């Protein structure tokens, strides 16, 4: 068992290349899903006797049906550009966490069975047999990749390493080895509607409780509507927004913005989850099933628009795949983006001048912003290239006086993962999460030294939870990570609200 | 994987959450707490009891904020805050307190 992050390396620089530590993370594995969890998703409950044939069949199937997968396996020239780009490599020093090396765990098997040279001269071309040890090695190292795609930005061939990780996890599920964390959650979304397992009655009670808080704080009745047919907007947000800190403060921010914009909106108890963990395990069928819940909710509620809350992987699936998975959305109002991000909505309202904002209400903190990986590298916001970088910053700057960016090589398209994305936000990987988060934390520490930054804002439920857990290791309070809409919520003065009636956060 | 309480065996999962929620007892809570290096006092029990009552009504643990609001009402603002909850349950009022209260682990991006 690896240390619980107690051997964290002190980094001088966020991208400092570590001394190699061969085997440092060997054998690190998240809990394996039980047969009940696996079978609930239609996967074998445990390793099937003919696992080798089935794994190779699945690989052949992926190569045949996913051109990108085959191209990625064939084109790598081992140039080395990606070697030092992974936060898990930087944090652990384990050479198998170099993206090229991690990919080669699968590529070497592909070569052995699917290329001429590998079939006849395996040793010459680095091809190897598929054995049970290899499967276990896949399970370990393909759960030390958060599918953040930072390495892909630097690959001259554009190889998307995340796709290799997803394929490996897909093959593993196919032969009966699944990850407990992701697969249990996918089951809950498909059975109940969200990752948490929050049923409609509990969801309604939570929202009513929050409405009370809002009224106590502001003196204004701000609603958090649930399942209201005929609303204009359906808000799809991560269920962490109904449960965790600081996520809930973001939810209150969305509600205040909608209230001031005077639009009718609703949440859905049927599609009460934005995140799509089908992406994490590389399984299209589950990704589609989760996406279809959103379509059904939108149709049943008769909404005209779909807006997504602060959730990184959700936005990737929503922005890039929603139409393919669950479209066409011809029943929605075509004059609005389908789907729209809550930040696009809020930025629009700020530009229109709908919101009364008092920036000084955030003067007690000095902010920086963490670009969430899947928003930064796999999507866009607004009409301009780079909108996914500028719109969140524009909103933050409109509600805060003290904003400072982290070092440029760790932001925008080069952003570092929080260390908990892609299905790794589980307690059994805490050691890996702390190490993988250390490059980002080092960048934050630099910004604190240079500009006195006290807080970091994020727009992803995973980032928020991950940072609130690991920040104490790096000298910050756990509430030093904030939702962007929490900042908006702090700054908004609601129509009719007495200026001194608001209780500030913090 | 099991806890031993008063001569009986209570199964738990890899992370120490009991698998059959009906097998919970106060003695078991003490045993789980011990394995988490927590000595149960009145405040711990206040949290555990609230979680169990809430679960009985809603079949899920409450949001941390709802828990804190209730504790604030019963024990005052010095104790009804996130920081104090983490003093009581260092691994988090949601996950660790749920484990001791015999409830399922909250899952998702939390």
């Amino acid at each position: 068992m690896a240390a619980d992050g107690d051997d964290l390396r002190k980094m001088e620089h966020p991208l400092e290349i570590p001394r190699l530590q061969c085997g440092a993370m060997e054998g690190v594995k998240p809990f394996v899903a039980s047969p009940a969890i696996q079978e609930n998703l239609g996967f074998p409950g445990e390793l099937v006797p003919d696992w080798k044939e089935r794994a190779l069949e699945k690989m052949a199937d992926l190569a045949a049906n996913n051109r990108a997968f085959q191209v990625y396996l064939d084109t790598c020239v081992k140039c080395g550009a990606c070697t030092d780009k992974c936060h898990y490599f930087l944090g652990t020093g384990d050479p198998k966490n170099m993206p090229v090396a991690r990919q080669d765990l699968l590529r070497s098997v592909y070569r052995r069975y699917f290329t001429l040279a590998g079939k006849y001269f395996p040793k010459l071309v680095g091809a190897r047999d598929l054995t049970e040890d290899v499967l276990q090695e896949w399970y370990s190292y393909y759960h030390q990749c958060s599918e953040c795609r930072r390495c892909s930005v630097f690959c001259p061939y554009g190889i998307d390493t995340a796709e290799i990780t997803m394929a490996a996890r897909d093959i593993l599920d196919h032969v009966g080895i699944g990850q407990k964390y992701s697969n249990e959650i996918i089951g809950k979304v498909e059975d109940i509607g969200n990752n948490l397992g929050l049923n409609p009655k509990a969801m309604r009670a939570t929202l009513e409780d929050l409405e009370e808080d809002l009224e106590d704080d502001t003196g204004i009745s701000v609603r958090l509507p649930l399942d209201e047919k005929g609303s204009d907007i359906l808000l799809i947000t991560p269920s962490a927004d109904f449960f965790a800190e600081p996520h809930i403060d973001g939810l209150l921010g969305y509600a205040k913005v909608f209230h001031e914009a005077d639009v009718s909106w609703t949440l859905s108890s049927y599609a009460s989850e934005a995140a799509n963990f089908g992406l994490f395990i590389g399984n299209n069928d589950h990704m589609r099933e989760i996406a279809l819940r959103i379509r059904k909710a939108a149709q049943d509620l008769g909404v005209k628009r779909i807006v997504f809350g602060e959730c990184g992987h959700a936005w990737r699936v929503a922005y890039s795949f929603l139409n393919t998975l669950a479209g066409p959305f011809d029943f929605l109002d075509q004059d609005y983006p389908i789907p729209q991000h809550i930040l696009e909505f809020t930025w629009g309202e700020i530009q229109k001048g709908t919101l009364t904002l008092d920036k000084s209400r955030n003067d007690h903190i000095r902010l920086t912003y963490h670009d969430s990986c899947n928003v930064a590298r796999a999507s866009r916001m607004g009409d301009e290239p780079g909108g996914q970088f500028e719109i969140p910053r524009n909103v933050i700057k409109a509600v805060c006086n003290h904003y400072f960016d982290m070092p440029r090589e760790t932001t925008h398209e080069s952003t570092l993962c929080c260390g908990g994305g892609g299905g790794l936000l589980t307690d059994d990987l805490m050691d890996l999460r702390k190490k993988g988060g250390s490059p980002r934390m080092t960048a934050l520490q630099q910004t604190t030294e240079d500009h006195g930054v006290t807080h970091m804002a994020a727009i992803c439920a995973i980032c928020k939870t991950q940072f609130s857990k690991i920040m104490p290791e790096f000298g910050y309070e756990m509430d030093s990570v904030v939702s962007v809409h929490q900042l908006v919520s702090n700054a908004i003065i609601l129509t009719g609200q007495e200026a001194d009636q608001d209780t500030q956060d913090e | 994987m099991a806890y031993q309480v008063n001569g009986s065996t209570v199964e738990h999962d890899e992370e120490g959450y009991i698998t059959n929620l009906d097998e919970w007892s106060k003695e078991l809570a003490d045993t789980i707490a011990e394995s988490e290096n927590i000595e149960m006092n009145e405040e711990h029990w206040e949290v555990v009891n609230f979680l169990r009552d809430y679960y009985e009504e809603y079949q899920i643990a409450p949001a941390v904020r709802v828990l804190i609001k209730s504790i604030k009402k019963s024990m005052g603002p010095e104790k009804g805050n996130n920081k104090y909850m983490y003093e009581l349950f260092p691994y988090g009022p949601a996950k660790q307190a749920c484990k001791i209260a015999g409830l399922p682990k909250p899952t998702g991006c939390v």
Side-chain angles (χ1 to χ4, degrees):
Chain A
M1 185 87 184
D4 186 19
D6 54 8
D7 54 346
L8 269 179
R9 187 168 64 93
K10 169 92 183 108
M11 301 174 80
E12 296 297 323
H13 181 271
L15 303 179
E16 182 192 319
I17 298 173
R19 184 181 292 275
L20 288 190
Q21 296 197 49
C22 295
M25 301 300 279
E26 198 174 292
V28 169
K29 288 175 191 171
F31 294 132
V32 174
S34 67
I37 291 173
Q38 286 292 95
E39 284 161 9
N40 187 33
L41 300 193
F43 299 135
E46 51 195 30
L47 190 63
V48 291
D50 57 341
W51 56 268
K52 188 169 173 181
E53 291 72 26
R54 285 218 218 174
L56 293 173
E57 256 170 42
K58 183 72 186 169
M59 199 184 280
D61 178 49
L62 286 167
N65 294 311
N66 180 350
R67 177 71 62 86
F69 174 70
Q70 189 172 10
V71 170
Y72 297 154
L73 290 178
D74 285 334
T75 52
C76 175
V77 295
K78 306 287 188 301
C79 72
C82 65
T83 48
D84 60 347
K85 301 304 187 289
C86 173
H87 51 289
Y88 293 116
F89 171 65
L90 296 176
T92 67
D94 188 326
K96 286 187 182 164
N97 277 328
M98 292 178 179
V100 58
R102 192 187 292 109
Q103 289 172 65
D104 262 34
L105 299 176
L106 191 141
R107 184 177 284 120
S108 54
V109 172
Y110 166 82
R111 267 207 188 126
R112 178 75 180 87
Y113 300 95
F114 298 93
T115 67
L116 198 65
K119 278 178 191 167
Y120 296 103
F121 313 104
K123 286 200 173 126
L124 285 180
V125 294
R128 60 178 182 161
D129 291 342
L130 180 59
T131 65
E132 211 168 322
D133 284 346
V134 169
L135 278 190
Q136 291 303 329
E137 191 180 35
W138 284 2
Y139 188 75
S140 174
Y141 283 100
Y142 288 116
H143 288 102
Q144 297 185 45
C145 163
S146 56
E147 304 173 351
C148 84
R149 307 166 81 240
R150 183 170 193 267
C151 51
S152 306
V153 171
F154 299 90
C155 174
Y157 284 88
I159 295 173
D160 185 346
T161 315
E163 291 284 332
I164 309 285
T165 294
M166 289 170 194
R169 293 184 188 177
D170 196 17
I171 295 169
L172 287 165
D173 270 326
H174 193 72
V175 300
I177 307 176
Q179 186 213 19
K180 179 185 175 190
Y181 173 73
S182 293
N183 290 3
E184 183 179 27
I185 284 173
I186 292 171
K188 280 193 185 179
V189 179
E190 292 174 0
D191 294 340
I192 304 170
N194 55 69
N195 291 356
L196 263 178
L198 193 65
N199 60 65
K201 180 184 170 191
M203 191 170 169
R204 188 170 297 279
T206 305
L207 296 174
E208 282 170 3
D209 212 84
L210 294 173
E211 283 179 344
E212 256 177 52
D213 289 355
L214 274 169
E215 187 155 3
D216 288 349
D217 283 352
T218 64
I220 305 288
S221 165
V222 176
R223 301 208 49 227
L224 288 157
L226 181 64
D227 294 333
E228 292 194 359
K229 286 195 175 179
S231 301
D232 285 344
I233 294 175
L234 169 62
L235 177 74
I236 301 288
T237 206
S239 58
D241 282 1
F242 311 123
F243 188 85
E245 310 284 336
H247 312 59
I248 280 190
D249 283 307
L251 175 69
L252 302 184
Y254 319 149
K256 286 187 185 177
V257 170
F258 286 140
H259 177 89
E260 285 301 290
D262 199 21
V263 290
S264 73
W265 68 287
T266 188
L267 291 154
S268 156
S269 60
Y270 178 76
S272 37
E273 183 60 62
N276 192 327
F277 278 34
L279 178 79
F280 297 169
I281 63 164
N283 186 293
N284 255 317
D285 294 337
H286 289 290
M287 210 154 84
R288 177 173 294 113
E289 188 164 340
I290 294 169
L292 282 171
R293 292 184 79 95
I294 296 171
R295 178 188 179 84
K296 182 169 173 3
Q299 285 182 316
D300 289 351
L301 293 166
V303 298
K304 299 182 183 128
R305 302 164 63 180
I306 300 176
V307 173
F308 273 76
E310 297 182 7
C311 182
H313 302 82
W315 187 239
R316 180 183 186 196
V317 176
Y319 181 87
S320 305
F321 311 131
L322 195 63
N323 199 44
T324 319
L325 292 168
F329 286 92
D330 46 4
F331 58 90
L332 296 177
D333 188 337
Q334 305 296 309
D335 287 340
Y336 293 94
I338 302 172
Q340 190 173 31
H341 195 282
I342 185 70
L343 276 158
E344 293 174 318
F345 184 90
T346 299
W347 179 232
E349 295 305 314
I350 290 172
Q351 286 175 305
K352 279 193 269 174
T354 321
L355 310 178
T356 307
L357 300 166
D358 178 359
K359 288 174 155 192
S360 71
R361 289 174 173 221
N362 282 313
D363 275 354
H364 57 298
I365 51 182
R366 295 169 77 81
L367 260 299
T368 190
Y369 173 68
H370 165 79
D371 292 280
S372 297
C373 55
N374 270 263
V375 176
R377 283 188 280 268
S379 73
R380 189 191 279 184
M381 289 179 202
D383 303 324
E384 302 290 325
Q388 74 273 33
F389 310 125
E390 295 317 312
I391 289 177
R393 286 174 172 79
N394 290 345
V395 170
I396 296 172
K397 288 174 191 166
V399 298
C400 300
N401 281 313
H402 309 296
Y403 176 79
F404 306 89
D405 260 320
M406 285 183 276
R408 180 61 179 82
E409 66 272 23
T410 73
T411 63
H412 295 69
E413 75 290 343
S414 300
T415 190
L416 289 156
C417 169
C418 65
L424 307 188
L425 190 80
T426 177
D427 294 345
D428 39 325
L429 291 178
M430 194 55 88
D431 173 63
L432 177 76
R433 285 166 55 185
K434 288 176 186 168
K435 288 172 181 164
S438 56
R440 166 50 78 221
M441 287 293 98
T442 305
L444 175 64
Q445 286 168 334
Q446 272 190 2
T447 316
T448 296
E449 275 170 36
D450 295 347
H451 303 290
V453 157
T454 59
H455 288 66
M456 180 165 70
I459 56 167
C460 168
I462 287 178
C463 296
K464 292 172 197 174
T465 296
Q466 159 74 352
F467 288 132
S468 71
K469 290 282 187 301
I470 69 167
M471 276 179 142
E473 299 282 331
F474 296 88
Y476 297 90
E477 297 286 334
M478 62 185 305
D479 57 5
S480 304
V481 59
V482 295
S483 300
V484 169
H485 274 79
Q486 176 178 354
L487 304 170
V488 175
S489 174
N490 288 348
I492 283 190
I493 299 174
L494 299 171
T495 309
Q497 182 183 351
E498 306 276 335
D500 58 356
Q501 199 154 13
D502 194 85
T503 322
Q504 272 191 7
D505 257 320
E506 282 293 316
Chain B
M1 290 176 286
Y3 296 109
Q4 302 296 331
V5 188
N6 296 339
S8 65
T9 304
V10 180
E11 297 281 330
H12 64 75
D13 70 5
E14 306 95 326
E15 297 169 85
Y17 292 82
I18 59 172
T19 39
N20 178 0
L21 307 190
D22 295 335
E23 290 181 324
W24 187 86
S25 64
K26 295 206 158 182
E27 294 74 28
L28 174 65
D30 282 324
T31 306
I32 302 175
E34 206 177 306
S35 68
E36 301 272 316
N37 295 319
I38 288 175
E39 200 180 324
M40 294 291 283
N41 61 26
E42 206 181 314
E43 282 87 2
H44 291 104
W45 276 112
E46 184 82 24
V47 173
V48 165
N49 289 334
F50 177 77
L51 290 179
R52 288 191 61 82
D53 289 347
Y54 192 95
Y55 188 86
E56 201 178 4
E57 179 153 10
Y58 296 108
Q59 290 78 55
I60 191 153
V64 175
R65 184 162 302 201
V66 173
L67 165 69
I68 287 173
K69 201 157 113 182
S70 155
I71 298 300
K72 207 176 196 170
K73 272 184 198 154
S74 59
M75 303 201 295
E78 312 78 47
K79 294 181 177 171
N81 60 66
N82 210 23
K83 206 167 182 163
Y84 188 73
M85 287 300 116
Y86 273 84
E87 281 173 32
L88 288 179
F89 301 100
Y91 285 92
K95 288 183 180 172
Q96 199 171 26
C98 277
K99 191 188 288 185
I100 295 169
L103 309 183
K105 179 180 176 172
T107 52
C109 307
V110 298

